[in-house]
C-alpha cells in the first residue's frame, strides 16, 4: 500500500507540527542532504515551455530513495482562479521501485523553497543580519518571511508589491507574529534600503529588473527566488556582477536562473560546498553575496522524506492501492478476471 497525503491532510500535518517546528525539522533534512550532495544521482529538470508558462518534471535519487516532482509555473493562473504554482510528487524505494508515498507538493514546495532560502542565507549572510526586504507579495512571501524569522532571527520585514492588495494580504497574515515587525513600503527601492537581506520573489515570466546595482548596499545578501526559467529574471546584470554568486545545480541554473544573463565563464559557486563546510561563503563583512535560487530536485527529496517520516510518526494520511497487490507477482492478467467478475455481480449477470 502507498501512503497518500492530500492537501487537507498536509494542512493538518502542518497544524499538528507547527510552522516553526516544521521549518526547523526540514532545515535539518536539507542540510543533511546538501552535505551529502555527491551521493545523489542528479540531473536538470525536464521542462515543457509554452507562451504562458512551464510544466516541469524534477527527479533525483540516492541509494535508498527516488523522488520526482511534477510542477508548473503559470503567472496568469490567478486570473483563472488557479495558483501560479501547483505540484505533486512521489517518494519511492530504490531497492524495489515501490512508491512509498504520493503527496501534494504545492503547499509543501512553499515550505521547502523558503527553508532552502534560509539555509543558503545561514551560510552566506552576515550573522548579525536583522532587517529583510521582500519584493513580491505573492503566494511564497509569507513562507519566506517566517523561514527567515524562525531560522535566522530576522525581526524587521519590509515588503513591496505593485499589487497593494497582495501587500495587505501579507501584512494581515503576519500580524499573528507580533515579534516580527512588518512595514509596507511604496517602492522596491524603499523596501531594500538599509536591509541586510533582500529577497526577490516575483512571478512574471519576463526579463525583469526588480533589483538594480544602485539599490545594493555593501554587505547585503540577495536571495533571488523568482528568476527560475529561461527568459525569466529579476536581477539586473550589473547587480549580478556586483556580488559573489552561489547556485544549486549549476547546469540547471545557467539555463534558468538570473545568471542566464552572464557569460558562461563568469564564476559561480556551489552552495552545497559551503553548507558542507568545504568552502567559505562570504569572504568579508562588506561583500555582497547572491543566492541565485531556481529550485532543485534534491530539495524535494528532503521535504518528501521529512513529511513521510512525520506522517508515519503521527499516523496521518491514507493508504491507496496505487500498485496492484498480486497473489502471484507474475500474474497481472488475473486482475482483469477479478474485475470482470465484480462487474458481472454488480449488474446481476
Amino acid at each position: 500500500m502507498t501512503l497518500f497525503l492530500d492537501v487537507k491532510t498536509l494542512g493538518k500535518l502542518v497544524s499538528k507540527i507547527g510552522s516553526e517546528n516544521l521549518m526547523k525539522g526540514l532545515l535539518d533534512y536539507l542540510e543533511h542532504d546538501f552535505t551529502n550532495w555527491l551521493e545523489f544521482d542528479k540531473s536538470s529538470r525536464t521542462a515543457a515551455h509554452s507562451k504562458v508558462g512551464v510544466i516541469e518534471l524534477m527527479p533525483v535519487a540516492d541509494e535508498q530513495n527516488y523522488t520526482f516532482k511534477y510542477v508548473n509555473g503559470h503567472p496568469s493562473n490567478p486570473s483563472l482562479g488557479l495558483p501560479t504554482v501547483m505540484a505533486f510528487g512521489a517518494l519511492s524505494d530504490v531497492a524495489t521501485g515501490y512508491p512509498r508515498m504520493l503527496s501534494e507538493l504545492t503547499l509543501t514546495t512553499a515550505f521547502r523553497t523558503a527553508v532552502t532560502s534560509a539555509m543558503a542565507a545561514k551560510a552566506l549572510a552576515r550573522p548579525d543580519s536583522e532587517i529583510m526586504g521582500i519584493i513580491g507579495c505573492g503566494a511564497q512571501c509569507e513562507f519566506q518571511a517566517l523561514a527567515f524569522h524562525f531560522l535566522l532571527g530576522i525581526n524587521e520585514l519590509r515588503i513591496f508589491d505593485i499589487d497593494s492588495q497582495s501587500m495587505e494580504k501579507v501584512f494581515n497574515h503576519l500580524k499573528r507574529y507580533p515579534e516580527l515587525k512588518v512595514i509596507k513600503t511604496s517602492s522596491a527601492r524603499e523596501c531594500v534600503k538599509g536591509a541586510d537581506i533582500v529577497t526577490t520573489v516575483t512571478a512574471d515570466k519576463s526579463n525583469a529588473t526588480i533589483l538594480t546595482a544602485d539599490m545594493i548596499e555593501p554587505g547585503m545578501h540577495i536571495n533571488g527566488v523568482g528568476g527560475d526559467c529561461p527568459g525569466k529574471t529579476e536581477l539586473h546584470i550589473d547587480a549580478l556582477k556586483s556580488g559573489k554568486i552561489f547556485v544549486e545545480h549549476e547546469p540547471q541554473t545557467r539555463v534558468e536562473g538570473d545568471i542566464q544573463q552572464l557569460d558562461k565563464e563568469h564564476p559561480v559557486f556551489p552552495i552545497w560546498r559551503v553548507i558542507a563546510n568545504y568552502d567559505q561563503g562570504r569572504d568579508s563583512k562588506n561583500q555582497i553575496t547572491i543566492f541565485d535560487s531556481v529550485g532543485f530536485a534534491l530539495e524535494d527529496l528532503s521535504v518528501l522524506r521529512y513529511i513521510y517520516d512525520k506522517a508515519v510518526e503521527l499516523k496521518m494520511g491514507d493508504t491507496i492501492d496505487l500498485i496492484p497487490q498480486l497473489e502471484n507477482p507474475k500474474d497481472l492478467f488475473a486482475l482483469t478476471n477479478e474485475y470482470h467478475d465484480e462487474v458481472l455481480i454488480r449488474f446481476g449477470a
Side-chain angles (χ1 to χ4, degrees):
M1 303 289 282
T2 300
L3 180 65
F4 177 62
L5 300 182
D6 62 7
V7 176
K8 185 176 181 180
T9 303
L10 214 293
K12 289 180 178 179
L13 184 68
V14 173
S15 180
K16 187 87 171 177
I17 300 170
S19 293
E20 182 172 0
N21 289 332
L22 187 152
M23 287 181 171
K24 288 178 177 178
L26 178 54
L27 178 62
D28 290 340
Y29 276 60
L30 281 163
E31 288 183 331
H32 173 275
D33 289 342
F34 269 74
T35 297
N36 293 283
W37 178 270
L38 296 177
E39 297 181 9
F40 292 91
D41 181 6
K42 302 173 290 294
S43 63
S44 301
R45 53 190 164 206
T46 300
H49 293 278
S50 68
K51 293 180 180 179
V52 295
V54 62
I55 299 174
E56 300 167 332
L57 190 66
M58 302 171 64
V60 71
D62 63 6
E63 292 184 354
Q64 289 79 42
N65 300 293
Y66 171 90
T67 65
F68 75 82
K69 180 170 76 175
Y70 167 102
V71 63
N72 78 303
H74 286 72
S76 62
N77 268 5
S79 66
L80 304 174
L82 294 171
T84 299
V85 176
M86 300 173 284
F88 65 88
L91 173 67
S92 297
D93 179 13
V94 166
T96 63
Y98 195 89
R100 296 201 304 273
M101 182 177 69
L102 183 66
S103 176
E104 83 81 42
L105 278 182
T106 308
L107 176 59
T108 307
T109 292
F111 275 103
R112 80 79 153 125
T113 302
V115 177
T116 299
S117 294
M119 175 180 67
K122 179 182 173 184
L124 301 175
R126 297 194 319 272
D128 60 350
S129 296
E130 295 182 347
I131 302 172
M132 179 175 175
I134 298 183
I135 304 172
C137 293
Q140 177 67 213
C141 184
E142 293 91 336
F143 296 90
Q144 291 281 332
L146 291 178
F148 279 79
H149 175 56
F150 292 147
L151 303 177
L152 270 70
I154 291 296
N155 54 34
E156 181 175 319
L157 175 69
R158 300 166 186 173
I159 58 174
F160 173 72
D161 197 295
I162 57 174
D163 180 356
S164 60
Q165 291 183 343
S166 292
M167 272 204 292
E168 198 65 30
K169 166 195 69 96
V170 172
F171 186 80
N172 289 332
H173 276 313
L174 295 180
K175 279 182 180 178
R176 71 187 71 175
Y177 306 95
E179 63 280 11
L180 177 61
K181 181 181 179 182
V182 181
I183 302 169
K184 292 178 284 186
T185 63
S186 59
S187 68
R189 185 175 297 276
E190 181 187 351
C191 180
V192 306
K193 185 174 178 58
D196 303 305
I197 298 172
V198 172
T199 288
T200 57
V201 59
T202 58
D204 285 344
K205 189 178 181 182
S206 63
N207 291 121
T209 52
I210 307 302
L211 196 65
T212 54
D214 61 320
M215 297 164 66
I216 298 173
E217 299 175 10
M220 266 186 180
H221 171 66
I222 299 165
N223 177 41
V225 179
D228 58 2
C229 70
K232 184 173 185 281
T233 60
E234 295 179 311
L235 309 183
H236 189 277
I237 188 170
D238 291 336
L240 281 172
K241 291 179 177 180
S242 70
K244 185 177 180 181
I245 304 169
F246 296 82
V247 299
E248 294 142 311
H249 184 57
E250 183 178 342
Q252 179 176 304
T253 310
R254 287 285 185 186
V255 174
E256 299 179 353
D258 271 279
I259 63 169
Q260 66 187 268
Q261 305 173 75
L262 299 176
D263 295 335
K264 292 182 179 179
E265 293 75 24
H266 191 97
V268 298
F269 302 88
I271 188 63
W272 76 266
R273 292 189 60 87
V274 183
I275 294 167
N277 293 317
Y278 291 135
D279 292 342
Q280 181 171 291
R282 172 177 295 274
D283 298 316
S284 68
K285 182 178 180 179
N286 288 330
Q287 185 177 49
I288 295 161
T289 54
I290 301 169
F291 178 45
D292 189 3
S293 171
V294 298
F296 185 59
L298 182 57
E299 295 148 23
D300 301 312
L301 183 145
S302 300
V303 74
L304 283 166
R305 286 200 306 112
Y306 178 73
I307 62 173
Y308 177 82
D309 289 347
K310 299 306 290 187
V312 170
E313 175 189 332
L314 298 172
K315 297 180 171 57
M316 299 184 72
D318 298 315
T319 54
I320 56 174
D321 287 322
L322 187 63
I323 301 299
Q325 306 295 312
L326 302 170
E327 290 186 13
N328 178 358
K330 294 184 177 181
D331 190 5
L332 180 62
F333 192 73
L335 289 177
T336 63
N337 295 330
E338 291 175 9
Y339 295 149
H340 179 67
D341 292 343
E342 288 179 8
V343 171
L344 293 180
I345 293 170
R346 189 177 304 133
F347 290 96

